[in-house]
Amino acid sequence: MTAKIIDGTAIAGEVRANVAKDVAARVDKGLPVPGLATVLVGENPASQVYVRMKQKACEKAGIKSFGYNLPADISQAELETLVSELNANPEINGILVQLPLPKGLDEERVLNSISLEKDVDGFHPVNIGRLAQKGRKSLFVPCTPDGVIYLLDQTGVQLQGASAVVLGRSNIVGMPVALLLVERDATVTICHSRTKNLAEVCRSADVLVAAVGRPEMVRRDWVKPGAVVIDVGVNRVEDASLEKGYKLVGDVAFDEVKDVASAITPVPGGVGPMTIAMLLRNTVKAADIADRN
Ligand code: GUN
């Protein structure tokens, strides 16, 4: 079997085009242009790249972007004061604090200080808590997990009753994606560093989501023939043959697994572009919420 390659770039492009249309429609109606504040603390190079990409994507969609770059030694109080100011600023509909924060800052307190209605990343403890409760709806769903579910839906995967295995239990991806799969009536197993018989558990999955940050950890014999494989990993591995000296690979050994899976996301060009697309969508939703308040 050769897997269908799930084209995240194309799917994210459609979402972004729809967001741009929604923004234009708001402006036509005389409603304010949506605004997103990005808060970057310190100089983590990967975070700098991600934040720049998010800002550029905003501009392309007609969303105003407000960038705040802060030194790594900023105090907890100063950071929370900035968030309070952004909460009170009517031009700003969404607030994104790029994670991870430098050591010494209390991430949970910072996320808790973001107004629920502006929590476009969906990491506020109340939004995450609602995701974990039956019959409750969070205002915003974290962007990468939301993008994973969107790709599965676009691929026509039946989640109800499916056996789903999530590799990784991070706050940003693994845990929220598992909660979203439960919400969709999948039977979900979360694997982590202490899981026994990891390959065997993964092999039981109809839907396998890999989000551990280990280059090409998932091998061909970890995957049930016909399974759908979503690779959230973005890992830099050295490659002297390339000018930049490295290449990006996922958590899945793509070349092996594509021969057994029925569908698979590539890296790059799979889940990655979806994160930004869902962030833009959440920002317009936040602007719609602000109109009603
Ligand atoms: N770090 C890695 N992914 C994300 C994300 O989606 N949002 C934020 N704020 N930080 C991240």
Side-chain angles (χ1 to χ4, degrees), residues 12-234:
E14 288 163 19
V15 173
R16 285 170 62 163
N18 283 332
V19 169
K21 269 192 214 154
D22 291 344
V23 172
R26 285 181 57 85
V27 173
D28 281 350
K29 280 191 240 163
L31 293 167
V33 172
L36 174 73
T38 56
V39 179
L40 174 62
V41 187
E43 288 175 9
N44 177 325
S47 292
Q48 287 172 329
V49 171
Y50 290 138
V51 167
R52 222 175 298 129
M53 285 165 67
K54 289 170 185 180
Q55 291 171 333
K56 270 198 187 154
C58 277
E59 280 146 30
K60 272 197 172 167
I63 293 171
K64 255 197 232 167
S65 136
F66 301 81
Y68 297 85
N69 290 359
L70 309 169
D73 62 358
I74 191 169
S75 71
Q76 181 79 27
E78 284 170 303
L79 182 52
E80 288 180 29
T81 301
L82 170 65
V83 172
S84 301
E85 285 164 12
L86 302 176
N87 283 338
N89 183 340
E91 272 198 286
I92 288 170
N93 301 111
I95 302 169
L96 177 145
V97 177
Q98 186 67 22
L99 303 177
L101 288 172
K103 281 209 179 72
L105 291 167
D106 183 335
E107 177 186 298
E108 189 181 354
R109 269 182 48 196
V110 174
L111 296 175
N112 201 37
S113 70
I114 297 172
S115 145
L116 266 186
E117 293 74 23
K118 297 193 178 190
D119 178 35
V120 286
D121 246 337
F123 292 148
H124 188 291
V126 169
N127 273 326
I128 285 287
R130 285 182 184 159
L131 206 59
Q133 291 182 316
K134 212 174 158 195
R136 306 263 160 86
K137 278 260 171 253
S138 44
L139 270 179
F140 298 100
V141 173
C143 303
T144 305
D146 204 13
V148 167
I149 300 294
Y150 195 93
L151 288 179
L152 288 167
D153 284 342
Q154 287 290 306
T155 309
V157 179
Q158 163 82 280
L159 291 175
Q160 192 175 51
S163 179
V165 171
V166 179
L167 203 45
R169 54 177 162 180
S170 70
N171 291 336
I172 292 178
V173 185
M175 193 55 77
V177 97
L179 294 169
L180 288 172
L181 288 163
V182 170
E183 192 193 22
R184 295 290 298 272
D185 298 326
T187 303
V188 180
T189 304
I190 303 174
C191 297
H192 45 75
S193 53
R194 302 296 160 95
T195 299
K196 291 184 185 140
N197 305 322
L198 187 55
E200 197 182 307
V201 177
C202 289
R203 212 163 34 240
S204 72
D206 302 316
V207 175
L208 178 61
V209 179
V212 268
R214 296 273 194 116
E216 300 183 322
M217 184 184 191
V218 176
R219 313 304 308 197
R220 180 195 178 100
D221 64 345
W222 290 36
V223 176
K224 176 159 82 177
V228 175
V229 179
I230 305 290
D231 189 354
V232 187
V234 184

